[in-house]
Amino acid sequence: MAKNTAGALIARSAQSTVASMFLDRVRWSPNAPALEDASQSLSYAELNEQVNRIANLLLGLGVSRGDRVALLAENNIEYLQCMLGAAKIGAILACQNWRLAATELQHCMTLVGPVLLLCSSDYMNLAKQLQLDDIPIIAFGEEFDGHIANASTNEPDSPTEPEDPLLIIYTSGTTGLPKGAVLSHRAEVIRNIVVRAEFSIASRDTYVAWTPLFHMGAMELSIGTLITGGKVIV
């Protein structure tokens, strides 16, 4: 019986995604601090409520599993909320580098074919230089807050599988033009297991996301912190 139980647990763990592991943390420690910036601090329960609003907003806008959602913004709380919201519905967050020139950014957007662009107000002028056809743009701030205020806080139906893509992070490549590196849920879970073992990172440790979230350095360690019960300071 014990052997069968162990086998069932192993089989279940193999189905873990970033979304499912984050939700486990919400259930285990809802009142623990999860995400903080200079103006606010969110518990896991409060963060999950915002994440669900974003996930349901994306669904209402027609975003579905496998769709790419581009994000062009400086580091902020919304960045990680959108990553988790996309993760819950199987959408892929394409993290855009705000340091690029408009022509380079145009290449990155064309490469992934997003169905939506989420953009900081600081980079709206840059976004308006792009040829986005009919891709809608939602600006962080009053517009974004107004959308999610009316969205449901219910858990969305989550079709996400471990091998589903989670992120697109851009690398320089060999031609001078950025390449899109696709990272799955399973890859991020495994990579964070290794990082936490190598550096003896405890589940309740705090991570300060000071490098750009469009880069693996900040994004990957933020994910690892939020799926293991720690706090991220943006």
Side-chain angles (χ1 to χ4, degrees):
M1 188 67 174
K3 183 177 180 180
N4 290 338
T5 301
L9 287 172
I10 291 171
R12 181 183 174 190
S13 68
Q15 296 304 308
S16 294
T17 64
V18 167
S20 70
M21 293 185 71
F22 168 70
L23 188 55
D24 282 342
R25 301 313 311 187
V26 173
R27 290 166 175 162
W28 292 335
S29 50
N31 297 319
L35 194 54
E36 179 181 315
D37 67 5
S39 62
Q40 61 180 314
S41 179
L42 300 176
S43 68
Y44 271 86
E46 291 167 336
L47 174 57
N48 189 55
E49 181 176 299
Q50 290 296 95
V51 168
N52 285 348
R53 288 183 185 276
I54 293 169
N56 286 307
L57 168 63
L58 294 177
L59 289 173
L61 292 171
V63 179
S64 58
R65 181 182 178 189
D67 283 342
R68 277 76 64 201
V69 176
L71 197 156
L72 177 63
E74 71 282 3
N75 286 16
N76 52 39
I77 278 182
E78 290 85 358
Y79 208 120
L80 293 173
Q81 290 174 341
C82 290
M83 179 275 295
L84 291 168
K88 283 201 175 189
I89 64 171
I92 309 162
L93 192 71
C95 306
Q96 305 301 310
N97 183 345
W98 42 261
R99 292 172 171 166
L100 297 180
T103 53
E104 296 169 315
L105 192 59
Q106 180 71 62
H107 164 78
C108 292
M109 294 286 286
T110 302
L111 198 62
V112 299
V115 299
L116 173 69
L117 171 61
L118 301 171
C119 187
S120 163
S121 58
D122 288 349
Y123 298 104
M124 281 298 292
N125 287 336
L126 177 58
K128 289 176 181 178
Q129 297 177 49
L130 307 178
Q131 297 177 5
L132 299 178
D133 298 324
D134 296 324
I135 299 172
I137 303 175
I138 297 178
F140 288 148
E142 290 185 8
E143 182 182 10
F144 180 76
D145 293 344
H147 278 294
I148 64 172
N150 297 317
S152 171
T153 61
N154 294 334
E155 287 294 332
D157 290 334
S158 181
T160 309
E161 298 290 340
E163 292 300 332
D164 284 349
L166 170 69
L167 298 169
I168 297 175
I169 301 287
Y170 294 87
T171 67
S172 59
T174 57
T175 64
L177 291 173
K179 307 293 188 296
V182 182
L183 296 158
S184 69
H185 284 253
R186 192 190 302 279
E188 280 308 296
V189 170
I190 297 300
R191 285 165 66 92
N192 271 292
I193 288 173
V194 172
V195 167
R196 279 165 154 62
E198 286 187 343
F199 293 97
S200 300
I201 301 173
S203 62
R204 290 300 178 90
D205 282 349
T206 295
Y207 172 65
V208 179
W210 63 275
T211 57
L213 282 165
F214 63 70
H215 188 272
M216 284 305 297
M219 178 58 79
E220 187 161 79
L221 289 171
S222 295
I223 290 171
T225 301
L226 293 171
I227 65 176
T228 54
K231 180 174 75 172
V232 177
I233 298 176
V234 180

mmCIF file of all heavy atoms in Angstrom, residues 196-229:
data_model
loop_
_atom_site.group_PDB
_atom_site.id
_atom_site.type_symbol
_atom_site.label_atom_id
_atom_site.label_comp_id
_atom_site.label_asym_id
_atom_site.label_seq_id
_atom_site.Cartn_x
_atom_site.Cartn_y
_atom_site.Cartn_z
ATOM 1 N N ARG A 196 18.053 25.925 -6.223
ATOM 2 C CA ARG A 196 17.820 25.949 -4.787
ATOM 3 C C ARG A 196 18.686 24.940 -4.057
ATOM 4 O O ARG A 196 19.138 25.200 -2.938
ATOM 5 C CB ARG A 196 16.327 25.717 -4.508
ATOM 6 C CG ARG A 196 15.599 26.992 -4.698
ATOM 7 C CD ARG A 196 14.137 26.970 -4.826
ATOM 8 N NE ARG A 196 13.639 28.258 -4.396
ATOM 9 C CZ ARG A 196 13.929 29.408 -4.978
ATOM 10 N NH1 ARG A 196 14.719 29.424 -6.028
ATOM 11 N NH2 ARG A 196 13.475 30.549 -4.506
ATOM 12 N N ALA A 197 18.945 23.816 -4.679
ATOM 13 C CA ALA A 197 19.830 22.822 -4.058
ATOM 14 C C ALA A 197 21.277 23.308 -4.044
ATOM 15 O O ALA A 197 21.973 23.185 -3.034
ATOM 16 C CB ALA A 197 19.722 21.499 -4.810
ATOM 17 N N GLU A 198 21.728 23.884 -5.154
ATOM 18 C CA GLU A 198 23.123 24.313 -5.257
ATOM 19 C C GLU A 198 23.456 25.464 -4.310
ATOM 20 O O GLU A 198 24.552 25.540 -3.758
ATOM 21 C CB GLU A 198 23.437 24.727 -6.693
ATOM 22 C CG GLU A 198 23.565 23.555 -7.660
ATOM 23 C CD GLU A 198 24.035 23.998 -9.031
ATOM 24 O OE1 GLU A 198 23.962 25.209 -9.333
ATOM 25 O OE2 GLU A 198 24.488 23.129 -9.795
ATOM 26 N N PHE A 199 22.504 26.375 -4.112
ATOM 27 C CA PHE A 199 22.778 27.566 -3.305
ATOM 28 C C PHE A 199 22.123 27.519 -1.925
ATOM 29 O O PHE A 199 22.117 28.526 -1.212
ATOM 30 C CB PHE A 199 22.334 28.821 -4.063
ATOM 31 C CG PHE A 199 23.139 29.090 -5.294
ATOM 32 C CD1 PHE A 199 22.681 28.684 -6.541
ATOM 33 C CD2 PHE A 199 24.372 29.721 -5.218
ATOM 34 C CE1 PHE A 199 23.419 28.923 -7.693
ATOM 35 C CE2 PHE A 199 25.115 29.965 -6.359
ATOM 36 C CZ PHE A 199 24.650 29.559 -7.598
ATOM 37 N N SER A 200 21.564 26.362 -1.565
ATOM 38 C CA SER A 200 20.942 26.174 -0.243
ATOM 39 C C SER A 200 19.906 27.256 0.051
ATOM 40 O O SER A 200 19.884 27.852 1.137
ATOM 41 C CB SER A 200 22.013 26.166 0.848
ATOM 42 O OG SER A 200 22.933 25.118 0.644
ATOM 43 N N ILE A 201 19.034 27.507 -0.918
ATOM 44 C CA ILE A 201 17.984 28.508 -0.745
ATOM 45 C C ILE A 201 16.807 27.865 -0.021
ATOM 46 O O ILE A 201 16.267 26.850 -0.471
ATOM 47 C CB ILE A 201 17.526 29.068 -2.105
ATOM 48 C CG1 ILE A 201 18.722 29.702 -2.833
ATOM 49 C CG2 ILE A 201 16.416 30.086 -1.921
ATOM 50 C CD1 ILE A 201 18.407 30.133 -4.254
ATOM 51 N N ALA A 202 16.405 28.450 1.094
ATOM 52 C CA ALA A 202 15.284 27.927 1.882
ATOM 53 C C ALA A 202 13.955 28.406 1.305
ATOM 54 O O ALA A 202 13.890 29.427 0.606
ATOM 55 C CB ALA A 202 15.422 28.362 3.338
ATOM 56 N N SER A 203 12.894 27.671 1.620
ATOM 57 C CA SER A 203 11.591 27.962 1.028
ATOM 58 C C SER A 203 11.065 29.344 1.412
ATOM 59 O O SER A 203 10.332 29.962 0.639
ATOM 60 C CB SER A 203 10.571 26.894 1.440
ATOM 61 O OG SER A 203 10.389 26.902 2.844
ATOM 62 N N ARG A 204 11.410 29.848 2.574
ATOM 63 C CA ARG A 204 10.897 31.156 3.014
ATOM 64 C C ARG A 204 11.900 32.292 2.789
ATOM 65 O O ARG A 204 11.709 33.389 3.317
ATOM 66 C CB ARG A 204 10.492 31.079 4.491
ATOM 67 C CG ARG A 204 9.248 30.225 4.743
ATOM 68 C CD ARG A 204 8.046 30.779 3.994
ATOM 69 N NE ARG A 204 6.856 29.971 4.171
ATOM 70 C CZ ARG A 204 5.957 30.136 5.138
ATOM 71 N NH1 ARG A 204 6.148 31.081 6.043
ATOM 72 N NH2 ARG A 204 4.897 29.375 5.213
ATOM 73 N N ASP A 205 12.963 32.049 2.045
ATOM 74 C CA ASP A 205 13.920 33.118 1.767
ATOM 75 C C ASP A 205 13.301 34.192 0.871
ATOM 76 O O ASP A 205 12.356 33.927 0.118
ATOM 77 C CB ASP A 205 15.172 32.552 1.090
ATOM 78 C CG ASP A 205 16.113 31.879 2.078
ATOM 79 O OD1 ASP A 205 15.891 32.045 3.291
ATOM 80 O OD2 ASP A 205 17.053 31.196 1.636
ATOM 81 N N THR A 206 13.856 35.385 0.959
ATOM 82 C CA THR A 206 13.388 36.516 0.158
ATOM 83 C C THR A 206 14.343 36.759 -1.010
ATOM 84 O O THR A 206 15.556 36.668 -0.860
ATOM 85 C CB THR A 206 13.307 37.790 1.018
ATOM 86 O OG1 THR A 206 12.307 37.615 2.014
ATOM 87 C CG2 THR A 206 12.957 39.011 0.180
ATOM 88 N N TYR A 207 13.760 37.063 -2.170
ATOM 89 C CA TYR A 207 14.561 37.380 -3.350
ATOM 90 C C TYR A 207 14.260 38.810 -3.790
ATOM 91 O O TYR A 207 13.090 39.201 -3.894
ATOM 92 C CB TYR A 207 14.259 36.417 -4.499
ATOM 93 C CG TYR A 207 14.910 36.830 -5.794
ATOM 94 C CD1 TYR A 207 16.292 36.854 -5.927
ATOM 95 C CD2 TYR A 207 14.141 37.232 -6.884
ATOM 96 C CE1 TYR A 207 16.899 37.269 -7.090
ATOM 97 C CE2 TYR A 207 14.744 37.642 -8.067
ATOM 98 C CZ TYR A 207 16.121 37.663 -8.161
ATOM 99 O OH TYR A 207 16.728 38.078 -9.316
ATOM 100 N N VAL A 208 15.280 39.577 -4.066
ATOM 101 C CA VAL A 208 15.123 40.944 -4.564
ATOM 102 C C VAL A 208 15.337 40.927 -6.079
ATOM 103 O O VAL A 208 16.441 40.656 -6.553
ATOM 104 C CB VAL A 208 16.126 41.908 -3.896
ATOM 105 C CG1 VAL A 208 15.948 43.324 -4.456
ATOM 106 C CG2 VAL A 208 15.937 41.906 -2.385
ATOM 107 N N ALA A 209 14.278 41.205 -6.823
ATOM 108 C CA ALA A 209 14.345 41.220 -8.295
ATOM 109 C C ALA A 209 14.844 42.586 -8.748
ATOM 110 O O ALA A 209 14.065 43.502 -9.001
ATOM 111 C CB ALA A 209 12.969 40.913 -8.882
ATOM 112 N N TRP A 210 16.157 42.701 -8.858
ATOM 113 C CA TRP A 210 16.747 43.994 -9.213
ATOM 114 C C TRP A 210 17.224 44.041 -10.658
ATOM 115 O O TRP A 210 17.350 45.130 -11.236
ATOM 116 C CB TRP A 210 17.901 44.329 -8.277
ATOM 117 C CG TRP A 210 19.056 43.373 -8.343
ATOM 118 C CD1 TRP A 210 19.176 42.201 -7.668
ATOM 119 C CD2 TRP A 210 20.232 43.509 -9.148
ATOM 120 N NE1 TRP A 210 20.367 41.578 -8.000
ATOM 121 C CE2 TRP A 210 21.039 42.363 -8.902
ATOM 122 C CE3 TRP A 210 20.688 44.469 -10.036
ATOM 123 C CZ2 TRP A 210 22.262 42.167 -9.518
ATOM 124 C CZ3 TRP A 210 21.908 44.272 -10.648
ATOM 125 C CH2 TRP A 210 22.683 43.134 -10.381
ATOM 126 N N THR A 211 17.511 42.898 -11.260
ATOM 127 C CA THR A 211 17.831 42.899 -12.689
ATOM 128 C C THR A 211 16.528 42.853 -13.489
ATOM 129 O O THR A 211 15.478 42.514 -12.958
ATOM 130 C CB THR A 211 18.719 41.695 -13.056
ATOM 131 O OG1 THR A 211 18.049 40.479 -12.670
ATOM 132 C CG2 THR A 211 20.055 41.762 -12.345
ATOM 133 N N PRO A 212 16.544 43.182 -14.779
ATOM 134 C CA PRO A 212 15.295 43.252 -15.548
ATOM 135 C C PRO A 212 14.548 41.913 -15.578
ATOM 136 O O PRO A 212 15.154 40.859 -15.764
ATOM 137 C CB PRO A 212 15.762 43.646 -16.958
ATOM 138 C CG PRO A 212 17.064 44.341 -16.743
ATOM 139 C CD PRO A 212 17.707 43.635 -15.586
ATOM 140 N N LEU A 213 13.231 41.981 -15.415
ATOM 141 C CA LEU A 213 12.415 40.765 -15.433
ATOM 142 C C LEU A 213 12.294 40.170 -16.835
ATOM 143 O O LEU A 213 11.826 39.044 -16.981
ATOM 144 C CB LEU A 213 11.021 41.051 -14.861
ATOM 145 C CG LEU A 213 10.959 41.126 -13.333
ATOM 146 C CD1 LEU A 213 9.649 41.762 -12.871
ATOM 147 C CD2 LEU A 213 11.133 39.749 -12.711
ATOM 148 N N PHE A 214 12.714 40.924 -17.869
ATOM 149 C CA PHE A 214 12.749 40.310 -19.204
ATOM 150 C C PHE A 214 13.959 39.396 -19.360
ATOM 151 O O PHE A 214 14.111 38.724 -20.378
ATOM 152 C CB PHE A 214 12.712 41.367 -20.319
ATOM 153 C CG PHE A 214 13.886 42.303 -20.359
ATOM 154 C CD1 PHE A 214 15.148 41.861 -20.750
ATOM 155 C CD2 PHE A 214 13.737 43.638 -20.041
ATOM 156 C CE1 PHE A 214 16.242 42.726 -20.812
ATOM 157 C CE2 PHE A 214 14.818 44.523 -20.099
ATOM 158 C CZ PHE A 214 16.069 44.056 -20.479
ATOM 159 N N HIS A 215 14.819 39.375 -18.338
ATOM 160 C CA HIS A 215 16.021 38.551 -18.343
ATOM 161 C C HIS A 215 15.825 37.360 -17.414
ATOM 162 O O HIS A 215 15.108 37.435 -16.414
ATOM 163 C CB HIS A 215 17.213 39.398 -17.886
ATOM 164 C CG HIS A 215 18.540 38.728 -18.033
ATOM 165 N ND1 HIS A 215 19.071 37.934 -17.049
ATOM 166 C CD2 HIS A 215 19.429 38.727 -19.059
ATOM 167 C CE1 HIS A 215 20.247 37.471 -17.454
ATOM 168 N NE2 HIS A 215 20.492 37.925 -18.664
ATOM 169 N N MET A 216 16.503 36.241 -17.722
ATOM 170 C CA MET A 216 16.336 35.034 -16.914
ATOM 171 C C MET A 216 16.758 35.223 -15.467
ATOM 172 O O MET A 216 16.199 34.609 -14.563
ATOM 173 C CB MET A 216 17.146 33.876 -17.513
ATOM 174 C CG MET A 216 16.519 33.271 -18.739
ATOM 175 S SD MET A 216 14.835 32.723 -18.463
ATOM 176 C CE MET A 216 15.105 31.447 -17.236
ATOM 177 N N GLY A 217 17.751 36.089 -15.229
ATOM 178 C CA GLY A 217 18.248 36.260 -13.872
ATOM 179 C C GLY A 217 17.149 36.594 -12.889
ATOM 180 O O GLY A 217 16.992 35.934 -11.859
ATOM 181 N N ALA A 218 16.353 37.625 -13.195
ATOM 182 C CA ALA A 218 15.291 38.039 -12.280
ATOM 183 C C ALA A 218 14.043 37.183 -12.424
ATOM 184 O O ALA A 218 13.423 36.814 -11.429
ATOM 185 C CB ALA A 218 14.947 39.501 -12.514
ATOM 186 N N MET A 219 13.658 36.870 -13.650
ATOM 187 C CA MET A 219 12.419 36.120 -13.858
ATOM 188 C C MET A 219 12.486 34.728 -13.257
ATOM 189 O O MET A 219 11.576 34.284 -12.542
ATOM 190 C CB MET A 219 12.094 36.045 -15.351
ATOM 191 C CG MET A 219 10.839 35.233 -15.662
ATOM 192 S SD MET A 219 9.336 35.848 -14.848
ATOM 193 C CE MET A 219 8.914 37.223 -15.931
ATOM 194 N N GLU A 220 13.576 34.009 -13.537
ATOM 195 C CA GLU A 220 13.655 32.626 -13.080
ATOM 196 C C GLU A 220 13.676 32.537 -11.555
ATOM 197 O O GLU A 220 12.982 31.699 -10.967
ATOM 198 C CB GLU A 220 14.890 31.948 -13.666
ATOM 199 C CG GLU A 220 14.942 30.468 -13.381
ATOM 200 C CD GLU A 220 15.876 29.752 -14.334
ATOM 201 O OE1 GLU A 220 17.099 29.804 -14.136
ATOM 202 O OE2 GLU A 220 15.363 29.138 -15.288
ATOM 203 N N LEU A 221 14.442 33.393 -10.899
ATOM 204 C CA LEU A 221 14.517 33.344 -9.448
ATOM 205 C C LEU A 221 13.233 33.859 -8.803
ATOM 206 O O LEU A 221 12.864 33.423 -7.707
ATOM 207 C CB LEU A 221 15.726 34.122 -8.954
ATOM 208 C CG LEU A 221 17.065 33.442 -9.263
ATOM 209 C CD1 LEU A 221 18.223 34.363 -8.937
ATOM 210 C CD2 LEU A 221 17.199 32.134 -8.499
ATOM 211 N N SER A 222 12.524 34.753 -9.461
ATOM 212 C CA SER A 222 11.215 35.182 -8.962
ATOM 213 C C SER A 222 10.223 34.020 -9.015
ATOM 214 O O SER A 222 9.463 33.797 -8.069
ATOM 215 C CB SER A 222 10.691 36.362 -9.785
ATOM 216 O OG SER A 222 11.509 37.502 -9.628
ATOM 217 N N ILE A 223 10.237 33.290 -10.127
ATOM 218 C CA ILE A 223 9.363 32.112 -10.246
ATOM 219 C C ILE A 223 9.687 31.112 -9.151
ATOM 220 O O ILE A 223 8.787 30.610 -8.454
ATOM 221 C CB ILE A 223 9.534 31.464 -11.635
ATOM 222 C CG1 ILE A 223 8.934 32.358 -12.728
ATOM 223 C CG2 ILE A 223 8.862 30.079 -11.664
ATOM 224 C CD1 ILE A 223 9.250 31.890 -14.133
ATOM 225 N N GLY A 224 10.976 30.818 -8.983
ATOM 226 C CA GLY A 224 11.372 29.841 -7.979
ATOM 227 C C GLY A 224 10.942 30.236 -6.583
ATOM 228 O O GLY A 224 10.527 29.385 -5.776
ATOM 229 N N THR A 225 11.019 31.524 -6.280
ATOM 230 C CA THR A 225 10.615 32.006 -4.957
ATOM 231 C C THR A 225 9.109 31.861 -4.751
ATOM 232 O O THR A 225 8.658 31.409 -3.690
ATOM 233 C CB THR A 225 11.021 33.479 -4.789
ATOM 234 O OG1 THR A 225 12.439 33.591 -4.954
ATOM 235 C CG2 THR A 225 10.637 34.012 -3.412
ATOM 236 N N LEU A 226 8.323 32.180 -5.776
ATOM 237 C CA LEU A 226 6.870 32.159 -5.643
ATOM 238 C C LEU A 226 6.284 30.754 -5.686
ATOM 239 O O LEU A 226 5.130 30.560 -5.283
ATOM 240 C CB LEU A 226 6.238 33.037 -6.719
ATOM 241 C CG LEU A 226 6.520 34.542 -6.569
ATOM 242 C CD1 LEU A 226 6.036 35.304 -7.789
ATOM 243 C CD2 LEU A 226 5.876 35.077 -5.295
ATOM 244 N N ILE A 227 7.017 29.772 -6.179
ATOM 245 C CA ILE A 227 6.502 28.397 -6.159
ATOM 246 C C ILE A 227 7.016 27.607 -4.969
ATOM 247 O O ILE A 227 6.636 26.457 -4.780
ATOM 248 C CB ILE A 227 6.787 27.636 -7.476
ATOM 249 C CG1 ILE A 227 8.279 27.427 -7.687
ATOM 250 C CG2 ILE A 227 6.125 28.339 -8.667
ATOM 251 C CD1 ILE A 227 8.612 26.592 -8.936
ATOM 252 N N THR A 228 7.865 28.247 -4.155
ATOM 253 C CA THR A 228 8.369 27.555 -2.972
ATOM 254 C C THR A 228 8.013 28.269 -1.674
ATOM 255 O O THR A 228 8.390 27.799 -0.597
ATOM 256 C CB THR A 228 9.899 27.363 -3.048
ATOM 257 O OG1 THR A 228 10.531 28.638 -3.274
ATOM 258 C CG2 THR A 228 10.274 26.414 -4.170
ATOM 259 N N GLY A 229 7.306 29.381 -1.745
ATOM 260 C CA GLY A 229 6.779 29.995 -0.536
ATOM 261 C C GLY A 229 7.524 31.182 0.004
ATOM 262 O O GLY A 229 7.228 31.651 1.106
#
